[in-house]
Amino acid sequence: MEPSAPGGDAQLLQVEALGEPGHRRFRIVAVIESETYILWMEKQQVQALGLALEQLIEQVPGSPGAGGVGNAFAIVNEETRNQFRVGRIEIAFDDLIEQILISAHDIEQDTPDAPPTLAIRISREQARELSTEAADLVARGRPICPMCGSPMEREGHVCPQQNGHLPLAFGDELT
């Protein structure tokens, strides 16, 4: 029998970005039984998690309000040692308790048969809030060029679709 991961019902679950667009770091902060956990993620992971939660909420049976309430008041310990960089994240719906389960795996300890580093149970409302927060946070980043799909910097953007090439420094190899 595999050892169970720490975790439980989330008192608080929120997504945050630290820093300026283009140089931001993303994280999910969870408070479980008054213990703070910080999950460092890539922007694409945050976006994918938000979309996956939104799709799961639409697909699960039951009443839309079932499974508890949203985020409650909780104190976040910014100095917590319970921090890791997420390599893999899995979500599922538990019919018996009508909650969504999020299992996060530390990138440094992630193997196919490794148990999750943290298991979080959340209500549908918390999942809906997290999904909305993730979408809003990602949208507040650098604007995307409609021509090439690359993020645009404040200083300007050299679009390969408009001039046929990316800027190259002397000595760069052409591929």
Side-chain angles (χ1 to χ4, degrees), residues 89-100:
I89 198 159
E90 302 161 337
I91 64 171
F93 183 76
D94 188 326
D95 293 326
L96 296 176
I97 59 174
E98 295 221 3
Q99 285 187 309
I100 295 170

Side-chain angles (χ1 to χ4, degrees), residues 44-166:
Q44 293 82 2
Q45 289 174 302
V46 170
Q47 184 176 29
L49 176 61
L51 291 171
L53 287 171
E54 185 178 318
Q55 291 172 354
L56 183 65
I57 293 167
E58 290 175 6
Q59 294 174 359
V60 294
S63 62
V69 296
N71 286 337
F73 175 76
I75 296 173
V76 175
N77 174 8
E78 293 287 339
E79 303 299 318
T80 184
R81 296 176 57 86
N82 300 321
Q83 299 188 38
F84 61 93
R85 193 166 148 224
V86 174
R88 179 170 43 114
I89 198 159
E90 302 161 337
I91 64 171
F93 183 76
D94 188 326
D95 293 326
L96 296 176
I97 59 174
E98 295 221 3
Q99 285 187 309
I100 295 170
L101 308 173
I102 300 174
S103 298
H105 298 259
D106 185 333
I107 196 166
E108 293 180 7
Q109 302 169 1
D110 192 17
T111 61
D113 57 344
T117 307
L118 181 66
I120 307 168
R121 290 188 302 262
I122 61 174
S123 67
R124 294 172 201 242
E125 187 58 36
Q126 286 173 304
R128 194 173 291 109
E129 288 173 15
L130 185 67
S131 176
T132 300
E133 286 176 12
D136 290 346
L137 196 65
V138 168
R140 285 189 300 231
R142 295 176 289 173
I144 302 298
C145 174
M147 298 290 289
C148 70
S150 296
M152 298 189 297
E153 300 293 336
R154 290 183 185 183
E155 304 82 42
H157 173 66
V158 177
C159 179
Q161 298 295 325
Q162 290 183 356
N163 64 13
H165 62 85
L166 288 172

Side-chain angles (χ1 to χ4, degrees), residues 17-28:
L18 307 174
E20 294 295 317
H23 303 285
R24 296 188 297 173
R25 294 184 62 202
F26 294 84
R27 69 184 191 174
I28 291 181

